Amino acid sequence: MNKAKSMAGLINRRVILVTVISALLASILSATYTLVEFNFSIKPEILKKANAISQVIHDDVELAITSGVPIDRIRGMDDYLSETLSKYPELTFIAVLSENDKLLYSAGDVADMSGAKDISENSSTVNYFGASLLDRLELIRKELFSFFPDLSSDTQNKDVYEMGINYQDNKAGGVFVGLNSNFIRSQLADMFFDIAIVLVAVLLVCFEVVMVVVMFYISGPLEESETILKRQIEGDFSVKESVSTKGSIGHFIVKLNEDSRDLQGKFTKTFSRVVGSNSEDAEPSEVKTRLQKIAEKFNLQTKLSMKNGDILDARIPLFVFSFAEELQKSFMPLFVAEYYEPNQWISRDVMLGLPISVFMLVIAISTPFSAKWVDKWGQKPLFLLGLIPAIAGYLGCAFAQDSMDIVISRGITAFGYALITISCQSYIAAVVSSENRAKGMAIFVGVLMTATMCGTALGAIIADRIGYQPVFLISAVLATFSGLLAWRMFSGSINSEPKKVAANGQSGLWLLAKNIKFVSIVLCCAIPAKIVLTGFLYFMVPLYLVSLEASQSEIGRIMMIYSLIIIPLSPIASGIADKTKKMKELVVLGTLLSGAILISLYGEASFYKVLLAVGLMGVAHSILKAPLIASALEAAESTPEVGRTTVLGILRTSERIGSVLGPVIVASLLAYYDFGETMMIVGVGIVLAGMMMLLFLRNAKDEMVEVSQ
């Protein structure tokens, strides 16, 4: 069996490595092609735009001259040029000169305009792909050197262009425009970062998909075939009721299982003949007794149940659905702001956070019912049922007419989200053992974080390119696809825990309320963690960055860092938790770090301060996320009357209370304080909660020492 696992592991590593490297190389080639094409296309397009702007100014000045107004006496010309320049960041200045090259009117930073080029001649598109190979290489060299002027051996041309103004066939002056070379570079940099984000997202998605496909079609069937072969070598010819039929290995498994089935069939016929011939005997014949011993020795009458469930069954469906849900995270407050109309009931700040709060509130209310429905109907039916409200909510946002439509639609989606996530979490909790509970929950957290990172970043890029509402249509399509995957992959049986009857008819919530360990984890760590997540990351960060004039793509990139850090660090933290059994200590450490990070935002607003805070918050939540779930399940073991699914439902409900409070608290504080002061107040509260949990742990240890003595 160890050899089987090692062989399967070797195949997994090699196939995943080859596939990821192939995807990486293909993505790099695609990114390079896109950057080169964009680089060669942007400057001609900007020149065309500058030509159009110059033409408009030229026509206005020429009209004034033909109307009898001298070119040096046109009133309001400076204001007109300033207003025009403010609309176009790709230009550094606009100037109008006389026929003697005397500066008459200008806006912006007027530079030395000697050596200006005729803009009409330079506005044509560079024919890069129609050029020869040597010409293309030369164009690439010039374009690359244009970004590093100190390395270029060529004299740098000034990006100043002229359009002459004529009157009665004589030159009367000229319109000069200066192109902002930094603007071109910034656009190329934005394109580079967008492509880099897409590259990272593609690799993560590729890894998730390839890993599951390999496990599903290669290593899983391979391990099963090795198990059957080993069993048959040892003389065990049990027959499985259901076996894998995936791929060529699956067909091999079916053949092995059919061999055992045929052998059992022949034995059954032989045994039936013996029993039939001795049916009138009071005692079984010697032949019959020997046949029964043979059957017991070689398991010739044993039927095995279908395979047990696996974490991989839920991994891909959960990933695709979570990815669909996370597409809108980076722009939700900005999306609501577009539809907000002032009213006397709800202020603008509160309305911007209301969709997030309503989303979390509905999840908090729905989760206890979802936990009961999981026990009643099972994980797979509940997952499929949850897709109906989830997709309906996405469509509602896509066709929303006002901000309240968005709030209602998000509430509808939240109901479906609650059903789907609790079904997946219950499935994973059922298939993992208590020894690797933190590791199993880390997989659940890792899938959510991978989906969060990919969805948040790509959603921001898509919204920046095609708008907010089409993103929700994409979410609806992806959610539908996740349902197809769940219908196909939720095929294994799981070890359902026996239904537990609460003592004296008391509810699970009431029993857990008496469990001080569980209550302290929920109040001091679980709820504060969600307050930070929704209040800081989902609500404040987009608004904070918008106030610093960050673009939608930049907001998505920064929010992506949170998940990008959690993905590799969370399994490490969970592994440490499983080995050291210091789950509660890690949870407290993560809580204290979260509060300290928020306090550090106090002071002068800074783009890089927010960037650093988001990254450090990812580290803090990496430490506490998986151990938090594991420690809550561990604490609930002292209340054996409450089942595992009920515990998870109550924990998720409590977390959603924090998710609801986060945007409300931050929005309320922002009405009186600035961003830094608001985060400092919230951070102090989080630190106090962590210290309370730390005090509880110390008191619990002291009590254990006293009892042992």
Side-chain angles (χ1 to χ4, degrees), residues 62-235:
E62 197 171 68
L63 177 62
I65 296 174
T66 56
S67 300
V69 180
I71 190 173
D72 57 349
R73 295 184 182 180
I74 304 176
R75 297 180 61 183
M77 194 63 186
D78 286 328
D79 293 337
Y80 169 62
L81 295 180
S82 297
E83 182 181 354
T84 302
L85 182 65
S86 64
K87 299 177 183 177
Y88 305 104
E90 54 266 47
L91 301 182
T92 57
F93 72 87
I94 305 175
V96 177
L97 276 65
S98 67
E99 58 180 324
N100 299 322
D101 293 334
K102 177 183 177 182
L103 182 63
L104 300 177
Y105 316 101
S106 66
D109 184 15
V110 180
D112 180 13
M113 290 174 284
S114 61
K117 294 162 281 193
D118 189 336
I119 192 170
S120 299
E121 296 178 359
N122 286 276
S123 61
S124 59
T125 304
V126 177
N127 186 16
Y128 167 73
F129 293 102
S132 65
L133 177 60
L134 292 177
D135 291 338
R136 278 183 283 178
L137 293 175
E138 179 64 18
L139 286 171
I140 292 174
R141 186 190 69 81
K142 288 183 178 179
E143 289 296 325
L144 290 176
F145 279 136
S146 70
F147 289 94
F148 306 98
D150 296 336
L151 301 178
S152 178
S153 59
D154 298 333
T155 302
Q156 295 295 310
N157 294 322
K158 299 180 179 65
D159 291 331
V160 180
Y161 298 91
E162 175 190 7
M163 178 174 288
I165 301 175
N166 299 319
Y167 178 63
Q168 295 181 350
D169 297 330
N170 295 317
K171 183 177 180 181
V175 177
F176 287 75
V177 295
L179 286 185
N180 185 358
S181 58
N182 290 331
F183 175 81
I184 299 176
R185 293 172 186 172
S186 68
Q187 292 297 303
L188 188 62
D190 285 342
M191 177 63 70
F192 170 78
F193 284 119
D194 285 348
I195 291 175
I197 289 172
V198 173
L199 175 61
V200 172
V202 166
L203 290 177
L204 288 172
V205 172
C206 177
F207 177 79
E208 287 288 335
V209 173
V210 170
M211 185 175 65
V212 172
V213 169
V214 169
M215 296 286 187
F216 210 62
Y217 288 95
I218 300 177
S219 63
L222 182 61
E223 286 185 16
E224 190 171 357
S225 65
E226 292 281 353
T227 301
I228 295 176
L229 283 172
K230 181 181 178 182
R231 195 167 62 236
Q232 292 181 351
I233 290 172
E234 294 175 350

Side-chain angles (χ1 to χ4, degrees), residues 625-680:
K625 272 187 174 291
L628 176 63
I629 302 174
S631 60
L633 290 171
E634 181 183 333
E637 289 176 355
S638 59
T639 309
E641 300 87 357
V642 183
R644 179 181 56 237
T645 305
T646 303
V647 172
L648 288 174
I650 294 173
L651 176 63
R652 296 284 290 179
T653 301
S654 304
E655 288 180 327
R656 296 311 172 185
I657 293 174
S659 300
V660 173
L661 292 176
V664 173
I665 292 173
V666 174
S668 301
L669 291 173
L670 285 176
Y672 302 97
Y673 305 100
D674 61 22
F675 289 110
E677 293 170 339
T678 297
M679 287 298 98
M680 183 193 70

Side-chain angles (χ1 to χ4, degrees), residues 693-707:
M693 183 65 187
L694 184 61
L695 291 174
F696 169 78
L697 287 177
R698 289 186 176 180
N699 292 335
K701 288 182 179 179
D702 292 340
E703 292 177 1
M704 291 178 63
V705 171
E706 292 178 1
V707 170

Side-chain angles (χ1 to χ4, degrees), residues 263-482:
L263 183 60
Q264 286 197 7
K266 293 178 181 179
F267 174 82
T268 301
K269 291 179 181 179
T270 303
F271 189 78
S272 298
R273 286 199 302 269
V274 172
V275 172
S277 63
N278 295 275
S279 59
E280 297 179 357
D281 296 344
E283 297 293 334
S285 67
E286 182 181 352
V287 176
K288 181 179 177 182
T289 303
R290 292 179 63 185
L291 287 175
Q292 287 178 335
K293 290 181 179 180
I294 292 173
E296 292 174 0
K297 181 179 179 179
F298 297 103
N299 289 322
L300 295 176
Q301 293 177 319
T302 304
K303 305 290 184 181
L304 301 177
S305 61
M306 62 184 297
K307 74 179 184 70
N308 292 327
D310 191 87
I311 293 177
L312 293 175
D313 297 341
R315 183 164 186 155
I316 280 294
L318 176 62
F319 172 78
V320 175
F321 176 78
S322 300
F323 178 80
E325 169 56 31
E326 298 296 333
L327 285 175
Q328 39 71 35
K329 280 293 195 301
S330 66
F331 62 78
M332 181 54 68
L334 309 179
F335 178 52
V336 178
E338 285 193 354
Y339 288 89
Y340 175 75
E341 295 181 0
N343 60 78
Q344 59 181 345
W345 304 107
I346 304 176
S347 67
R348 182 177 183 275
D349 290 333
V350 174
M351 178 57 79
L352 294 185
L354 195 58
I356 300 176
S357 296
V358 169
F359 184 86
M360 299 304 173
L361 178 62
V362 172
I363 292 178
I365 296 173
S366 305
T367 300
F369 300 101
S370 303
K372 294 180 181 178
W373 293 336
V374 167
D375 292 333
K376 184 177 181 180
W377 296 327
Q379 288 84 0
K380 181 176 180 179
L382 199 66
F383 188 106
L384 300 176
L385 180 64
L387 290 174
I388 298 174
I391 295 173
Y394 293 139
L395 296 178
C397 287
F399 300 103
Q401 299 298 318
D402 55 44
S403 57
M404 192 52 64
D405 288 347
I406 299 173
V407 174
I408 295 172
S409 298
R410 292 303 294 157
I412 295 173
T413 297
F415 179 63
Y417 183 88
L419 298 180
I420 290 171
T421 53
I422 197 66
S423 65
C424 291
Q425 190 173 15
S426 173
Y427 194 98
I428 293 173
V431 299
V432 298
S433 62
S434 58
E435 289 76 17
N436 62 351
R437 183 178 288 153
K439 184 178 180 180
M441 290 301 105
I443 293 176
F444 175 77
V445 172
V447 171
L448 293 181
M449 288 301 102
T450 303
T452 298
M453 196 221 75
C454 299
T456 301
L458 294 180
I461 295 173
I462 295 171
D464 205 23
R465 298 292 188 268
I466 63 176
Y468 297 137
Q469 289 177 306
V471 175
F472 292 98
L473 295 176
I474 297 174
S475 295
V477 173
L478 289 173
T480 304
F481 181 57
S482 73

